[in-house]
């Protein structure tokens, strides 16, 4: 019978399987039960964890101005990453989400092997803009040859609009 150690012989166990280990270096020793006959494995075993990806920036294009859908583009700090929106369970290799209706979106990323899921801390809001309709244009002609006193009044369906008459 044998006993097994992964901490350089500090403690021994009858089971040769060690589960739930964190990223670290492990010095392996095996000994015969109730003896001092110890076999040292020649090299330490190093367990390492994958590196989690992080979202560096998010660019959005809001729906509106003739386009009913928006887009979200993520920039991350490493390659081989997958992206998902709203806990859908659907993952994609492309960092671009298109055809998005107005609403709130939660972005998740992970390594392409499925490890290390990260959630972007901010919820992304795509806002639907109300289409601007010109309801009426009232024109008052100049009444004086030397004094510019003409007038154009534009009426729209919303009040928060900027106007231009010169492009």
């Amino acid at each position: 019978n044998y006993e097994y150690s992964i901490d350089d012989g500090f403690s021994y166990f009858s089971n040769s399987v060690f589960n739930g280990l964190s990223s670290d270096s492990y010095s392996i020793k095996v000994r015969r039960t109730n003896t001092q006959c110890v076999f040292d494995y020649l090299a330490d075993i190093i367990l390492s964890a994958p590196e989690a990806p992080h979202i560096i920036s998010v660019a959005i294009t809001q729906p509106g101005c003739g386009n009913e859908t928006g887009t979200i583009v993520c920039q991350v700090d490493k390659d081989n990453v997958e992206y998902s929106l709203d806990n859908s369970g659907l993952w994609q290799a492309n960092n671009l989400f298109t055809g998005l209706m107005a609403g709130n979106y939660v972005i998740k990323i992970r390594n392409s092997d499925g490890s290390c899921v990260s959630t972007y801390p901010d919820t992304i809001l795509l806002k639907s803009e109300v289409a601007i309709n010109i309801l009426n244009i009232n024109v008052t002609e100049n009444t004086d040859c030397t004094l510019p006193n003409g007038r154009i009044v534009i009426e729209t369906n919303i009040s928060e609009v900027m106007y231009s008459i010169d492009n």
Side-chain angles (χ1 to χ4, degrees):
N1 290 345
Y2 293 93
E3 296 176 314
Y4 307 90
S5 173
I6 60 171
D7 59 6
D8 202 26
F10 181 74
S11 54
Y12 283 91
F13 301 90
S14 60
N15 192 343
S16 64
V17 177
F18 295 87
N19 292 313
L21 300 175
S22 61
S23 297
D24 205 345
S25 177
Y26 296 92
S27 298
I28 308 297
K29 292 186 182 287
V30 177
R31 76 177 180 190
R32 277 187 209 264
T33 306
N34 300 322
T35 72
Q36 295 303 318
C37 183
V38 176
F39 170 74
D40 290 321
Y41 190 70
L42 297 177
D44 284 354
I45 302 298
I46 299 172
L47 296 181
S48 58
E51 190 175 314
H54 299 93
I55 297 175
I56 297 169
S57 66
V58 174
I60 61 173
T61 303
Q62 295 286 357
C65 208
N67 189 4
E68 294 179 10
T69 62
T71 62
I72 298 174
V73 181
C74 303
Q75 296 302 321
V76 296
D77 63 349
K78 61 183 287 192
D79 294 330
N80 300 317
V81 174
E82 295 178 326
Y83 307 82
S84 180
L85 283 182
D86 294 334
N87 298 315
S88 67
L90 302 174
W91 293 88
Q92 64 183 44
N94 191 341
N95 67 338
L96 172 65
F97 295 95
T98 60
L100 302 174
M101 301 304 290
N104 292 318
Y105 292 91
V106 175
I107 303 169
K108 291 192 176 205
I109 60 172
R110 69 181 183 187
N111 291 322
S112 57
D113 65 3
S115 65
C116 302
V117 175
S118 298
T119 302
Y120 188 64
D122 300 322
T123 298
I124 304 301
L125 173 62
L126 295 182
K127 298 180 270 183
S128 177
E129 293 187 17
V130 176
I132 299 172
N133 293 319
I134 298 174
L135 302 175
N136 193 22
I137 297 179
N138 292 315
V139 177
T140 304
E141 297 288 342
N142 283 322
T143 59
D144 190 308
C145 294
T146 59
L147 181 63
N149 65 354
R151 181 176 166 178
I152 299 174
V153 177
I154 304 168
E155 295 177 36
T156 65
N157 61 323
I158 57 177
S159 60
E160 299 172 7
V161 178
M162 296 186 70
Y163 300 90
S164 174
I165 60 171
D166 59 2
N167 232 1

